[in-house]
Every structure is written in C-alpha cells, then in structure tokens.
Amino acid sequence: MKAGKKYADSVKTYDHSKAYDPNEAVNLTLSTAKAKFDETIELHVRLGVDPRQADQQVRGVLVLPNGTGKSKKVLVIAKGERADAAAAAGADIVGAEELIQKIQHENWFDFDVMITTPDMMGVVGRIGRLLGPKGLMPNPKSGTVTMDVAKAVKEVKAGKVEYRLDKTAIIHCPIGKKSFGAEKIAENFNALMDAIVKAKPAAAKGQYIKSVTLTSTMGPGVKVNFNRG
C-alpha cells in the first residue's frame, strides 16, 4: 500500500534510523501528526522477555497524569448498594443479569470497559467467550473486578490505561492526544515508562527495554533513546 503524501512528507523531516531523547521524540511525533482530526499519540515498547513464560509477563494499570483524551463508556455489573455507588460515580450503564442477556442474545457491545463485583463474576463468566476476544472481560489484575466499583469507575473516567505484553513481546498503549501538547504527552510518557520499568519480572535476563517508539495515529514512528532499565 502506497503511503499518503502527508506521511511521506513527515518521514522526510527527521532521521528515522536515529533514536531521539524523549522530549525531542515527543516534539517530532507531534509535528508529524498532520491529519485533520486530533490524532492519538501511542507508545510502543519492545521488551527483552519471553511472553510465552508465565514468570515473564508484564501487565499493569495506571492512571495517566493527564488522562488519555478519550472518554470511555463504562458498564458496571452489580447489584444493590454497589450498583447505586457505581451510578453515583459516573458509570454510563449499570445493571445485572438483564445486561448479560442483552450481550448474549443481542450481540450488544455499546461500552468500552466492563467493571463487576466478585460475586457477579459467575454470571459474567457465562459470556466470557464473547467478552474475551474483544478485550472486555473483567479481571482483578486490571482493577475491573472489585468491590469498590465507584473507585474503579472514577479511575477509568480519569484516564486509567492497562498495559500488557502481546505475543511478540511488545506493549502498545495510548498516552494522549495531539491537542495535549508536548508537556502533557511527555508527562504521560514518563509515567507509563516508569510503570513498565517497575514491572520488570524477576525472571527477565539481559536488556529489559529493547526499543521504544512513539507514533501518532496516521504518522510515522519515532525511535526514542531510553536508557532506564
């Protein structure tokens, strides 16, 4: 597929074989985001771990200092006081078995994140095969299975992201929008990289951070010179 003119022009503005200092890389990424919409800025980190090994998994969550710039639609499966608390915290949709049936029978997925209480996991588990492939299955590690549903809702709304290793040992994660500007993107970049460094598995040997790349939705990748870890 032939690259568009804006993309081709952006590639010419920097040395794509060079790894730039983080702040310089952020500025380059923003300058090459030339689409007419507010592009998402993404971080891609290749790690020196084996994703096939259970003791070398890298996964976690954090609330980015400046959020992601995307408003997420939150569905909460809970009952009683927990359901009331979720609604008060700003959940977009709150319910129980009737919502599970709606997903199961109507193929309804009009939400970005599902949060549930531990006592409802048996009900949610019935549709695990539908939620799993879409990355919507609640999980205690990501903070989406919890008794404190109000806190979970507020964190998602504040810009909580989940980072996790894929099969090729790369973490892909959004860190904001072009409109944030360099300072806010840099703050989010540093927060996420710090979290990834701290999440280094004890079983990881050799160089942990193999490569770091910043990119915008439609722009080229910019290599980042990152020495920690």
Side-chain angles (χ1 to χ4, degrees):
M1 187 174 74
K2 188 177 179 181
K5 185 177 185 302
K6 289 180 181 177
Y7 182 96
D9 289 344
S10 293
V11 170
K12 295 174 187 175
T13 62
Y14 70 101
D15 181 353
H16 50 85
S17 66
K18 177 184 174 182
Y20 293 86
D21 288 336
N23 287 339
E24 196 175 358
V26 167
N27 283 314
L28 276 170
T29 304
L30 293 175
S31 70
T32 57
K34 296 180 177 179
K36 292 180 179 178
F37 62 92
D38 193 9
E39 294 185 55
T40 296
I41 308 302
E42 298 171 355
L43 177 62
H44 306 271
V45 185
R46 182 184 294 277
L47 299 179
V49 298
D50 185 350
R52 296 170 298 179
Q53 304 300 319
D55 62 353
Q56 294 187 41
Q57 293 302 307
V58 180
R59 179 178 185 175
V61 293
L62 81 154
V63 177
L64 292 173
N66 302 297
T68 62
K70 181 186 177 185
S71 178
K72 291 190 175 181
K73 198 168 186 179
V74 179
L75 169 96
V76 175
I77 303 296
K79 290 182 176 181
E81 291 181 0
R82 307 293 175 188
D84 294 340
D92 299 279
I93 310 153
V94 182
E97 284 87 354
E98 75 281 2
L99 292 177
I100 299 299
Q101 290 180 5
K102 187 177 175 71
I103 293 168
Q104 192 170 21
H105 300 301
E106 299 177 26
N107 201 33
W108 174 77
F109 292 98
D110 187 21
F111 56 93
D112 301 304
V113 178
M114 179 187 282
I115 296 168
T116 189
T117 49
D119 58 299
M120 294 300 290
M121 271 302 287
V123 177
V124 173
R126 296 175 198 164
I127 56 168
R129 60 186 177 80
L130 299 176
L131 297 171
K134 296 181 181 292
L136 294 170
M137 186 68 182
N139 186 298
K141 290 182 180 178
S142 63
T144 48
V145 178
T146 174
M147 290 301 284
D148 195 348
V149 288
K151 179 184 176 185
V153 169
K154 289 175 182 175
E155 287 182 344
V156 170
K157 292 291 186 180
K160 185 174 81 170
V161 294
E162 179 181 7
Y163 59 89
R164 60 187 302 179
L165 209 60
D166 71 7
K167 292 178 181 178
T168 60
I170 299 176
I171 288 172
H172 312 269
C173 199
I175 58 168
K177 295 283 188 178
K178 180 186 177 181
S179 60
F180 280 23
E183 186 177 343
K184 288 185 176 181
I185 292 293
E187 287 176 357
N188 281 356
F189 170 89
N190 287 324
L192 183 54
M193 287 305 303
D194 285 346
I196 292 171
V197 169
K198 288 176 183 175
K200 180 180 179 179
K205 305 298 180 187
Q207 186 180 359
Y208 178 53
I209 305 288
K210 289 283 191 180
S211 68
V212 179
T213 305
L214 280 170
T215 183
S216 60
T217 306
M218 303 295 287
V222 177
K223 293 179 181 177
V224 184
N225 180 18
F226 187 85
N227 295 319
R228 283 175 286 160

